[in-house]
Amino acid sequence: MTALRFDDLRQHSDVLRLRSGKTLTVRFVEPKDAEALQGFFRSLSVRSRYNRFLGAMSELPQSELDRFIHVGEADRFSVIAVMTIDGAETIVGEARYAFDAGTSRFEFGLSVDDRWQGHGIGAALLKNLECRAAAFGAERLFGDTLRSNDAMIGLARKSGFAFTNSPGDWKLVRFEKHIEVAPQEIPCASWRLAAQQMAPHASLSSP
């Protein structure tokens, strides 16, 4: 597969429609998002932050925030899910992911603002991550979460993930899914860009 050009990828966003009819935009994090992203993590409940980072944390350490906003370094990417609320772009969810070409596996973690949980944002973001995994040519995607994280486990189960023990840590459970979606059936912008690079003359359907 031709390497994805980050300068091209960052120009693409995916607009998703929630079951309420509201739209959700998923885009790559940029350095200018640092303050808003930190504010998002600070606004999460103690439980949500614990679930996301597998431990107690009141905010992102500066070193970790730098990794979040410098997308593409070490093949790791960060996206935010934003909605327009009271006329302003507001972060309601985020995800971070990485692709391992050696194993064709795609690892991710995500969180959703507590005030917006239950609106289908987590399911929409998870489906979008499946698109992004396909864009890299991944065969499987997976994540690890605490066994006590009922919300994430429930979301993964509804999304068709299988569960196994997480290697090396009994407190965690791993959820994993084989990617079976045909390229032309994946609607995310990042997939279309990747597919065009792999086969410039291929005919791709629009979402």
Side-chain angles (χ1 to χ4, degrees), residues 41-62:
F41 285 120
R42 288 172 179 159
S43 71
L44 292 177
S45 66
V46 172
R47 184 180 183 84
S48 289
R49 282 197 304 269
Y50 191 92
N51 284 337
R52 176 64 175 91
F53 298 108
L54 310 179
M57 185 180 294
S58 59
E59 64 177 19
L60 284 179
Q62 187 60 46

Side-chain angles (χ1 to χ4, degrees), residues 21-205:
K22 295 180 181 295
T23 57
L24 180 75
T25 299
V26 180
R27 66 170 177 81
F28 288 102
V29 174
E30 298 183 12
K32 65 181 178 64
D33 297 315
E35 184 176 349
L37 186 62
Q38 186 69 280
F40 168 82
F41 285 120
R42 288 172 179 159
S43 71
L44 292 177
S45 66
V46 172
R47 184 180 183 84
S48 289
R49 282 197 304 269
Y50 191 92
N51 284 337
R52 176 64 175 91
F53 298 108
L54 310 179
M57 185 180 294
S58 59
E59 64 177 19
L60 284 179
Q62 187 60 46
S63 59
E64 187 65 17
L65 180 60
D66 288 342
R67 282 191 282 271
F68 262 84
I69 63 177
H70 289 95
V71 176
E73 293 184 356
D75 293 325
R76 294 184 176 273
F77 300 83
S78 307
V79 293
I80 49 176
V82 299
M83 297 174 63
T84 300
I85 301 174
D86 295 331
E89 182 185 80
T90 304
I91 301 174
V92 295
E94 59 76 33
R96 187 151 167 79
Y97 59 88
F99 174 59
D100 184 342
T103 62
S104 295
R105 298 172 80 196
F106 181 99
E107 181 179 7
F108 70 92
L110 64 84
S111 65
V112 175
D113 188 317
D114 291 79
R115 295 164 292 184
W116 285 93
Q117 292 179 13
H119 291 261
I121 291 173
L125 186 53
L126 187 52
K127 190 65 178 177
N128 187 254
L129 289 173
E130 188 172 339
C131 292
R132 292 167 184 269
F136 280 97
E139 296 177 0
R140 304 191 72 84
L141 67 158
F142 75 94
D144 293 319
T145 193
L146 293 166
R147 294 184 180 275
S148 58
N149 189 353
D150 294 334
M152 187 68 236
I153 291 172
L155 174 61
R157 181 173 288 114
K158 288 179 181 178
S159 300
F161 283 75
F163 294 84
T164 61
N165 293 325
S166 180
D169 194 334
W170 65 269
K171 299 187 299 297
L172 303 180
V173 62
R174 173 162 294 183
F175 45 96
E176 191 167 11
K177 184 177 183 180
H178 178 66
I179 297 175
E180 299 177 336
V181 185
Q184 63 269 26
E185 296 174 356
I186 300 177
C188 67
S190 53
W191 164 256
R192 290 198 303 275
L193 180 65
Q196 288 163 3
Q197 289 183 338
M198 287 187 293
H201 302 295
S203 176
L204 299 178
S205 60

